[in-house]
Amino acid sequence: MSFASRLGGIRLPRSIEMDVPITSDIVLLSGNSHPELANLISARLGVKSGGCAVYHKTNRETMVEIGDSVRGKDIYIIQTGTKDCNNNIMELLIMAYACKTSSAKSVVAVIPYLPYSKQCKMRKRGCIVSKLLAKMMCNSGLTHIITMDLHQKEIQGFFDCPVDNLRASPFLLQYIQECIPDYRNSIIVARNPGSANKATSYAERLRLGIAVIHGEQKEAESDEVDGRYSPPTIPRSRTMDAGVGVPIHPAKEKPPINVVGDVGGRIAIMVDDLIDDVHSFVAAAEVLKERGAYKIYVLATHGLLSSDAPRLIEDSPIDEVVVTNTIPHELQKMQCHKIKTVDISIMLSEAIRRIHNKESMSYLFKNVTLED
């Protein structure tokens, strides 16, 4: 059964027309992360997946065996990030290097969800892991990256090869318009001030109002301390009175969770790029319910839904969680009937077709802004 039929026959965007056929010098390969999405892309392109075996030996080393010749051909490796992201990354790197050393003409990685994309800022004595991952991918032989809704758009600058950061917002906007009854009585909600730009973009496209939730029970990324505490700080300035050193920043105190905007008697739609740990979404939904919202939806591109997220969603005031199939989540859907899926394989297929036929990608980015 297709994703569309599970949603009750939702019509996904069909304005993307594949008029120019795919030539024979293309090879589609896929790892173990998301075979269902790879099959959907393969079927839409009308290209049979290449013979590639990716497995683990008894010592947990990753082995890759490519059965078909890739010499002089354009290779597209479909591999997304899942909960087993470290194995996903190693599979991708080894597959890319195997193609490079087998004289492939180009190696393009289709990574709908890029792992480690949230670790794109310096944290104390940590490192910017997404930069490290970008260097590893480029060194493995990848010549192009296709991904979707990066956590931060600036991550594209970490790569030494072209990166096409596609957007899932057209599919989610269409879901709102076609699958949410009386969506005109909705209000777009930013779960925190940091996601206000994304919520504003959705609200402007749907001609709706916006509300912002301020003050969270869980600390946001922006509240993490960026300091290195050794050696101890020693007052060096003597421009003030004796005994007074450099002033210390007052510690932040989060106010009680509050909603800026009127959600009473309306449908609240929270939008975000990733939903993993759902505690903050559930806490926000409870406040929205208290403020009078009679239906609550959560829309996100990537649905990791780790740990006990399905159970928390099932027991929460949230009516529906809508995510795309960039990440496999069939098990979570079996545990929670509130989780719905939108298929975005047509967008990835069209991106592959355009790149392979050397066509402009501008159509896929039509009217796209940085906030989307």
PDB file of all heavy atoms in Angstrom, residues 352-371:
ATOM      1  N   ILE A 352      17.223  14.104  -9.260  1.00  0.00           N
ATOM      2  CA  ILE A 352      18.173  13.195  -9.922  1.00  0.00           C
ATOM      3  C   ILE A 352      18.081  13.338 -11.439  1.00  0.00           C
ATOM      4  O   ILE A 352      19.100  13.425 -12.135  1.00  0.00           O
ATOM      5  CB  ILE A 352      17.906  11.741  -9.491  1.00  0.00           C
ATOM      6  CG1 ILE A 352      18.230  11.549  -8.010  1.00  0.00           C
ATOM      7  CG2 ILE A 352      18.701  10.761 -10.344  1.00  0.00           C
ATOM      8  CD1 ILE A 352      17.822  10.197  -7.452  1.00  0.00           C
ATOM      9  N   ARG A 353      16.862  13.378 -11.958  1.00  0.00           N
ATOM     10  CA  ARG A 353      16.680  13.464 -13.414  1.00  0.00           C
ATOM     11  C   ARG A 353      17.280  14.746 -13.968  1.00  0.00           C
ATOM     12  O   ARG A 353      17.980  14.742 -14.993  1.00  0.00           O
ATOM     13  CB  ARG A 353      15.197  13.389 -13.763  1.00  0.00           C
ATOM     14  CG  ARG A 353      14.911  13.250 -15.250  1.00  0.00           C
ATOM     15  CD  ARG A 353      13.459  13.536 -15.570  1.00  0.00           C
ATOM     16  NE  ARG A 353      13.126  14.924 -15.334  1.00  0.00           N
ATOM     17  CZ  ARG A 353      13.400  15.916 -16.175  1.00  0.00           C
ATOM     18  NH1 ARG A 353      14.040  15.672 -17.315  1.00  0.00           N
ATOM     19  NH2 ARG A 353      13.054  17.149 -15.900  1.00  0.00           N
ATOM     20  N   ARG A 354      17.035  15.856 -13.284  1.00  0.00           N
ATOM     21  CA  ARG A 354      17.539  17.141 -13.773  1.00  0.00           C
ATOM     22  C   ARG A 354      19.063  17.205 -13.718  1.00  0.00           C
ATOM     23  O   ARG A 354      19.711  17.723 -14.629  1.00  0.00           O
ATOM     24  CB  ARG A 354      16.924  18.290 -12.970  1.00  0.00           C
ATOM     25  CG  ARG A 354      15.474  18.570 -13.333  1.00  0.00           C
ATOM     26  CD  ARG A 354      14.844  19.645 -12.462  1.00  0.00           C
ATOM     27  NE  ARG A 354      13.469  19.915 -12.887  1.00  0.00           N
ATOM     28  CZ  ARG A 354      13.134  20.836 -13.780  1.00  0.00           C
ATOM     29  NH1 ARG A 354      14.066  21.603 -14.320  1.00  0.00           N
ATOM     30  NH2 ARG A 354      11.883  21.017 -14.123  1.00  0.00           N
ATOM     31  N   ILE A 355      19.637  16.704 -12.639  1.00  0.00           N
ATOM     32  CA  ILE A 355      21.099  16.715 -12.529  1.00  0.00           C
ATOM     33  C   ILE A 355      21.721  15.826 -13.598  1.00  0.00           C
ATOM     34  O   ILE A 355      22.701  16.196 -14.251  1.00  0.00           O
ATOM     35  CB  ILE A 355      21.525  16.270 -11.117  1.00  0.00           C
ATOM     36  CG1 ILE A 355      21.169  17.347 -10.087  1.00  0.00           C
ATOM     37  CG2 ILE A 355      23.025  15.980 -11.069  1.00  0.00           C
ATOM     38  CD1 ILE A 355      21.384  16.921  -8.658  1.00  0.00           C
ATOM     39  N   HIS A 356      21.126  14.653 -13.799  1.00  0.00           N
ATOM     40  CA  HIS A 356      21.689  13.711 -14.766  1.00  0.00           C
ATOM     41  C   HIS A 356      21.594  14.246 -16.192  1.00  0.00           C
ATOM     42  O   HIS A 356      22.517  14.047 -16.994  1.00  0.00           O
ATOM     43  CB  HIS A 356      20.978  12.364 -14.666  1.00  0.00           C
ATOM     44  CG  HIS A 356      21.575  11.316 -15.542  1.00  0.00           C
ATOM     45  ND1 HIS A 356      22.838  10.794 -15.333  1.00  0.00           N
ATOM     46  CD2 HIS A 356      21.094  10.698 -16.657  1.00  0.00           C
ATOM     47  CE1 HIS A 356      23.101   9.900 -16.262  1.00  0.00           C
ATOM     48  NE2 HIS A 356      22.068   9.826 -17.078  1.00  0.00           N
ATOM     49  N   ASN A 357      20.500  14.933 -16.509  1.00  0.00           N
ATOM     50  CA  ASN A 357      20.315  15.486 -17.854  1.00  0.00           C
ATOM     51  C   ASN A 357      20.870  16.899 -17.986  1.00  0.00           C
ATOM     52  O   ASN A 357      20.616  17.576 -18.980  1.00  0.00           O
ATOM     53  CB  ASN A 357      18.829  15.478 -18.228  1.00  0.00           C
ATOM     54  CG  ASN A 357      18.293  14.081 -18.447  1.00  0.00           C
ATOM     55  OD1 ASN A 357      19.025  13.191 -18.894  1.00  0.00           O
ATOM     56  ND2 ASN A 357      17.030  13.860 -18.113  1.00  0.00           N
ATOM     57  N   LYS A 358      21.594  17.340 -16.939  1.00  0.00           N
ATOM     58  CA  LYS A 358      22.239  18.661 -16.952  1.00  0.00           C
ATOM     59  C   LYS A 358      21.234  19.779 -17.189  1.00  0.00           C
ATOM     60  O   LYS A 358      21.489  20.725 -17.950  1.00  0.00           O
ATOM     61  CB  LYS A 358      23.362  18.692 -17.994  1.00  0.00           C
ATOM     62  CG  LYS A 358      24.482  17.697 -17.696  1.00  0.00           C
ATOM     63  CD  LYS A 358      25.558  17.720 -18.769  1.00  0.00           C
ATOM     64  CE  LYS A 358      26.704  16.798 -18.391  1.00  0.00           C
ATOM     65  NZ  LYS A 358      26.266  15.386 -18.197  1.00  0.00           N
ATOM     66  N   GLU A 359      20.091  19.681 -16.536  1.00  0.00           N
ATOM     67  CA  GLU A 359      19.059  20.716 -16.608  1.00  0.00           C
ATOM     68  C   GLU A 359      19.148  21.615 -15.381  1.00  0.00           C
ATOM     69  O   GLU A 359      19.747  21.261 -14.367  1.00  0.00           O
ATOM     70  CB  GLU A 359      17.672  20.073 -16.683  1.00  0.00           C
ATOM     71  CG  GLU A 359      17.453  19.199 -17.898  1.00  0.00           C
ATOM     72  CD  GLU A 359      16.078  18.545 -17.883  1.00  0.00           C
ATOM     73  OE1 GLU A 359      15.187  19.058 -17.182  1.00  0.00           O
ATOM     74  OE2 GLU A 359      15.908  17.519 -18.548  1.00  0.00           O
ATOM     75  N   SER A 360      18.525  22.763 -15.483  1.00  0.00           N
ATOM     76  CA  SER A 360      18.522  23.706 -14.366  1.00  0.00           C
ATOM     77  C   SER A 360      17.696  23.160 -13.202  1.00  0.00           C
ATOM     78  O   SER A 360      16.659  22.527 -13.400  1.00  0.00           O
ATOM     79  CB  SER A 360      17.945  25.054 -14.815  1.00  0.00           C
ATOM     80  OG  SER A 360      17.741  25.900 -13.709  1.00  0.00           O
ATOM     81  N   MET A 361      18.178  23.413 -11.991  1.00  0.00           N
ATOM     82  CA  MET A 361      17.448  23.002 -10.793  1.00  0.00           C
ATOM     83  C   MET A 361      16.540  24.111 -10.272  1.00  0.00           C
ATOM     84  O   MET A 361      15.888  23.954  -9.251  1.00  0.00           O
ATOM     85  CB  MET A 361      18.444  22.617  -9.694  1.00  0.00           C
ATOM     86  CG  MET A 361      19.277  21.396  -9.993  1.00  0.00           C
ATOM     87  SD  MET A 361      18.348  19.879  -9.792  1.00  0.00           S
ATOM     88  CE  MET A 361      18.260  19.779  -8.008  1.00  0.00           C
ATOM     89  N   SER A 362      16.505  25.235 -10.969  1.00  0.00           N
ATOM     90  CA  SER A 362      15.795  26.406 -10.438  1.00  0.00           C
ATOM     91  C   SER A 362      14.308  26.149 -10.260  1.00  0.00           C
ATOM     92  O   SER A 362      13.678  26.737  -9.382  1.00  0.00           O
ATOM     93  CB  SER A 362      15.999  27.606 -11.371  1.00  0.00           C
ATOM     94  OG  SER A 362      15.509  27.324 -12.670  1.00  0.00           O
ATOM     95  N   TYR A 363      13.726  25.245 -11.080  1.00  0.00           N
ATOM     96  CA  TYR A 363      12.293  24.983 -10.935  1.00  0.00           C
ATOM     97  C   TYR A 363      11.971  24.408  -9.558  1.00  0.00           C
ATOM     98  O   TYR A 363      10.954  24.733  -8.957  1.00  0.00           O
ATOM     99  CB  TYR A 363      11.814  24.018 -12.026  1.00  0.00           C
ATOM    100  CG  TYR A 363      10.327  23.739 -11.947  1.00  0.00           C
ATOM    101  CD1 TYR A 363       9.404  24.615 -12.509  1.00  0.00           C
ATOM    102  CD2 TYR A 363       9.840  22.614 -11.285  1.00  0.00           C
ATOM    103  CE1 TYR A 363       8.040  24.371 -12.417  1.00  0.00           C
ATOM    104  CE2 TYR A 363       8.487  22.361 -11.195  1.00  0.00           C
ATOM    105  CZ  TYR A 363       7.588  23.245 -11.759  1.00  0.00           C
ATOM    106  OH  TYR A 363       6.242  23.016 -11.651  1.00  0.00           O
ATOM    107  N   LEU A 364      12.857  23.558  -9.035  1.00  0.00           N
ATOM    108  CA  LEU A 364      12.615  22.943  -7.727  1.00  0.00           C
ATOM    109  C   LEU A 364      12.769  23.945  -6.595  1.00  0.00           C
ATOM    110  O   LEU A 364      12.348  23.675  -5.469  1.00  0.00           O
ATOM    111  CB  LEU A 364      13.564  21.760  -7.511  1.00  0.00           C
ATOM    112  CG  LEU A 364      13.455  20.621  -8.524  1.00  0.00           C
ATOM    113  CD1 LEU A 364      14.418  19.504  -8.169  1.00  0.00           C
ATOM    114  CD2 LEU A 364      12.035  20.082  -8.597  1.00  0.00           C
ATOM    115  N   PHE A 365      13.403  25.092  -6.884  1.00  0.00           N
ATOM    116  CA  PHE A 365      13.596  26.127  -5.868  1.00  0.00           C
ATOM    117  C   PHE A 365      12.757  27.370  -6.159  1.00  0.00           C
ATOM    118  O   PHE A 365      13.039  28.445  -5.633  1.00  0.00           O
ATOM    119  CB  PHE A 365      15.072  26.510  -5.777  1.00  0.00           C
ATOM    120  CG  PHE A 365      15.949  25.398  -5.272  1.00  0.00           C
ATOM    121  CD1 PHE A 365      16.628  24.570  -6.154  1.00  0.00           C
ATOM    122  CD2 PHE A 365      16.081  25.163  -3.916  1.00  0.00           C
ATOM    123  CE1 PHE A 365      17.435  23.539  -5.696  1.00  0.00           C
ATOM    124  CE2 PHE A 365      16.874  24.126  -3.446  1.00  0.00           C
ATOM    125  CZ  PHE A 365      17.548  23.321  -4.341  1.00  0.00           C
ATOM    126  N   LYS A 366      11.746  27.214  -6.989  1.00  0.00           N
ATOM    127  CA  LYS A 366      10.897  28.349  -7.341  1.00  0.00           C
ATOM    128  C   LYS A 366      10.166  28.875  -6.109  1.00  0.00           C
ATOM    129  O   LYS A 366       9.532  28.120  -5.376  1.00  0.00           O
ATOM    130  CB  LYS A 366       9.878  27.916  -8.406  1.00  0.00           C
ATOM    131  CG  LYS A 366       9.091  29.067  -9.000  1.00  0.00           C
ATOM    132  CD  LYS A 366       8.176  28.562 -10.118  1.00  0.00           C
ATOM    133  CE  LYS A 366       7.398  29.708 -10.737  1.00  0.00           C
ATOM    134  NZ  LYS A 366       6.497  29.232 -11.823  1.00  0.00           N
ATOM    135  N   ASN A 367      10.296  30.164  -5.866  1.00  0.00           N
ATOM    136  CA  ASN A 367       9.663  30.863  -4.728  1.00  0.00           C
ATOM    137  C   ASN A 367      10.163  30.353  -3.366  1.00  0.00           C
ATOM    138  O   ASN A 367       9.511  30.592  -2.356  1.00  0.00           O
ATOM    139  CB  ASN A 367       8.131  30.701  -4.773  1.00  0.00           C
ATOM    140  CG  ASN A 367       7.529  31.308  -6.031  1.00  0.00           C
ATOM    141  OD1 ASN A 367       8.002  32.322  -6.517  1.00  0.00           O
ATOM    142  ND2 ASN A 367       6.508  30.656  -6.570  1.00  0.00           N
ATOM    143  N   VAL A 368      11.297  29.663  -3.338  1.00  0.00           N
ATOM    144  CA  VAL A 368      11.854  29.188  -2.081  1.00  0.00           C
ATOM    145  C   VAL A 368      12.646  30.309  -1.410  1.00  0.00           C
ATOM    146  O   VAL A 368      13.430  31.008  -2.073  1.00  0.00           O
ATOM    147  CB  VAL A 368      12.769  27.966  -2.317  1.00  0.00           C
ATOM    148  CG1 VAL A 368      13.569  27.645  -1.066  1.00  0.00           C
ATOM    149  CG2 VAL A 368      11.936  26.765  -2.715  1.00  0.00           C
ATOM    150  N   THR A 369      12.433  30.515  -0.135  1.00  0.00           N
ATOM    151  CA  THR A 369      13.182  31.505   0.623  1.00  0.00           C
ATOM    152  C   THR A 369      14.057  30.786   1.665  1.00  0.00           C
ATOM    153  O   THR A 369      13.916  29.594   1.886  1.00  0.00           O
ATOM    154  CB  THR A 369      12.238  32.494   1.336  1.00  0.00           C
ATOM    155  OG1 THR A 369      11.467  31.770   2.312  1.00  0.00           O
ATOM    156  CG2 THR A 369      11.295  33.153   0.355  1.00  0.00           C
ATOM    157  N   LEU A 370      14.925  31.546   2.304  1.00  0.00           N
ATOM    158  CA  LEU A 370      15.800  30.948   3.320  1.00  0.00           C
ATOM    159  C   LEU A 370      15.012  30.448   4.512  1.00  0.00           C
ATOM    160  O   LEU A 370      15.476  29.590   5.261  1.00  0.00           O
ATOM    161  CB  LEU A 370      16.832  31.981   3.774  1.00  0.00           C
ATOM    162  CG  LEU A 370      17.914  32.352   2.748  1.00  0.00           C
ATOM    163  CD1 LEU A 370      18.805  33.439   3.314  1.00  0.00           C
ATOM    164  CD2 LEU A 370      18.748  31.128   2.381  1.00  0.00           C
ATOM    165  N   GLU A 371      13.813  31.005   4.740  1.00  0.00           N
ATOM    166  CA  GLU A 371      13.014  30.600   5.908  1.00  0.00           C
ATOM    167  C   GLU A 371      12.273  29.297   5.696  1.00  0.00           C
ATOM    168  O   GLU A 371      11.773  28.711   6.640  1.00  0.00           O
ATOM    169  CB  GLU A 371      12.004  31.704   6.277  1.00  0.00           C
ATOM    170  CG  GLU A 371      12.621  32.931   6.920  1.00  0.00           C
ATOM    171  CD  GLU A 371      13.360  33.805   5.937  1.00  0.00           C
ATOM    172  OE1 GLU A 371      12.984  33.797   4.743  1.00  0.00           O
ATOM    173  OE2 GLU A 371      14.308  34.487   6.331  1.00  0.00           O
TER     174      GLU A 371
END
